[in-house]
Amino acid sequence: SKTPEANRLLLDLGLTCIDNNYTGKDTDRLLLYVSLSSLDKTGHSFGPQSKEVIDLLYHLASQLHEFIDQVYTRVPEEDVLFV
């Protein structure tokens, strides 16, 4: 979808994946790949300077901030790498 809600749903799913698969044991490893492609779709549909893209970027910034904070409540910071 081309809305901020699409990113929210994917990030929430990522947190659910962590909750269901990461136990916190020393040998525990989890690779989580989340592809947020709604910005690309929105840019192609409405143009890179459109109000829709600006709105999506605005929401995405706060959604990513919240997601990172939530990851750190579940996994120690020294065990997390965001790329």
Side-chain angles (χ1 to χ4, degrees):
S1 178
K2 302 172 195 163
T3 67
E5 186 61 22
N7 289 330
R8 164 62 45 225
L9 291 171
L10 284 170
L11 294 172
D12 287 348
L13 182 61
L15 293 174
T16 300
C17 182
I18 292 170
D19 290 341
N20 291 332
N21 294 288
Y22 181 78
T23 63
K25 296 178 183 174
D26 286 341
T27 58
D28 207 7
R29 299 290 179 262
L30 175 65
L31 174 64
L32 178 64
Y33 177 85
V34 180
S35 177
L36 302 172
S37 59
S38 62
L39 181 59
D40 183 53
K41 291 177 183 180
T42 304
H44 284 289
S45 295
F46 299 101
Q49 304 291 331
S50 67
K51 292 178 183 177
E52 291 81 3
V53 167
I54 293 168
D55 182 60
L56 195 59
L57 281 171
Y58 173 79
H59 284 91
L60 184 57
S62 63
Q63 290 168 339
L64 285 173
H65 183 270
E66 182 182 332
F67 176 75
I68 290 168
D69 285 347
Q70 288 297 313
V71 168
Y72 288 150
T73 65
R74 292 162 167 80
V75 182
E77 279 190 51
E78 62 272 8
D79 293 339
V80 176
L81 174 65
F82 290 101
V83 179

